[in-house]
Structures are given as structure tokens and as C-alpha cells.
Amino acid sequence: MSTLPSSTMTRACAVIALAALAGLCACSSSSTVEKPVVDTGLDRMERLALNANRCWFKSKDPVFAAYSLAPELSSYSGRPRFLLVPRGHPEARPLLVVEGQSGSSEVAIYGPLTGESSVAPRVQSDLARWRTGRDSCSA
């Protein structure tokens, strides 16, 4: 048994607890550990999809009148993408795929429309411009 009065012991425990708490607070506030940023490509692909929707579809561009945009940005594969499909047939096989890749600034473009002379050059030039950060609809 201790020979110290109960109130002195309570005070001593309180002082020790406050000191420990102050030590923990000092450790946590002085050393901020930043979590590493993982580039999933989602932000980039979201911006590209928004630009494509605005410039190709909302503007009623005749080059894209036969197609619809089908975004698939929530990808568990680390490859967010958007598709061009035949207008009115969202379940149809994609005619164009624009796909980002986790950890890379590269954007893959593939599908049957990449060989069409009316669409391919426009897609290539627009995506190249948008990837540089310019969001304008025309060069």
C-alpha cells in the first residue's frame, strides 16, 4: 500500500496522464505523414469524358450524330474509360474506346472508328489538345 494521501496520488496520476497526452499530441502534430498519391487516371479520364460530351454531343456536332457516349469511369481494373457506341444502342459493341491507365498519363484509343476518316482525325486532335489541359472544343 502507498503512504501518499489519495488526493496526492490522484493529482500525480493526472499529471502523468496529461504529460503522456501532451507527448502524443506533440508527436502527431509535428510529423505529418502524407499518404502517397496513387494516380488512377480517373481525374484525367473524367475531364476527357466531360470535354467529349460537351464538345461532341451537347454541341450537336454532326460528325458524332450517329454515336452516343458511354462513360465507364468506375473501373476496378485501374483503367477508367469512355466508349462511343451506336446512338440508341448503349449495349452494343463499342465503336471507339478511350482508356486511361493507372499510374500513366497515356491514353489508349482503339476500336473500329479509329480507321474512319471522318471521325479519327477529330478524335485524335481533340484528345491531344484536352490532354495538355486545354478544354476548348476546337483547335
Side-chain angles (χ1 to χ4, degrees):
M1 292 251 166
S2 174
T3 58
L4 292 175
S6 169
S7 62
T8 306
M9 222 165 147
T10 303
R11 275 190 237 139
C13 287
V15 169
I16 292 171
L18 285 174
L21 184 60
L24 286 174
C25 290
C27 288
S28 66
S29 65
S30 66
S31 61
T32 332
V33 177
E34 291 186 27
K35 294 180 182 176
V37 176
V38 177
D39 178 13
T40 61
L42 181 60
D43 290 340
R44 177 179 49 264
M45 290 306 299
E46 183 177 64
R47 189 173 55 77
L48 293 178
L50 289 170
N51 284 336
N53 188 43
R54 181 174 49 87
C55 295
W56 297 345
F57 298 101
K58 286 189 175 184
S59 70
K60 301 195 187 299
D61 188 320
V63 172
F64 296 95
Y67 313 108
S68 293
L69 183 77
E72 294 183 350
L73 299 174
S74 299
S75 170
Y76 295 106
S77 68
R79 295 177 181 247
R81 65 187 188 169
F82 65 88
L83 317 170
L84 292 190
V85 295
R87 185 169 199 79
H89 300 283
E91 75 290 343
R93 184 176 180 183
L95 300 171
L96 180 78
V97 178
V98 180
E99 181 177 69
Q101 186 168 349
S102 181
S104 171
S105 63
E106 294 300 312
V107 175
I109 304 164
Y110 55 91
L113 286 182
T114 58
E116 274 199 33
S117 62
S118 63
V119 177
R122 175 71 184 281
V123 167
Q124 292 288 346
S125 66
D126 285 348
L127 289 173
R129 183 176 57 260
W130 297 335
R131 286 175 53 204
T132 65
R134 296 184 355 234
D135 292 336
S136 62
C137 288
S138 60

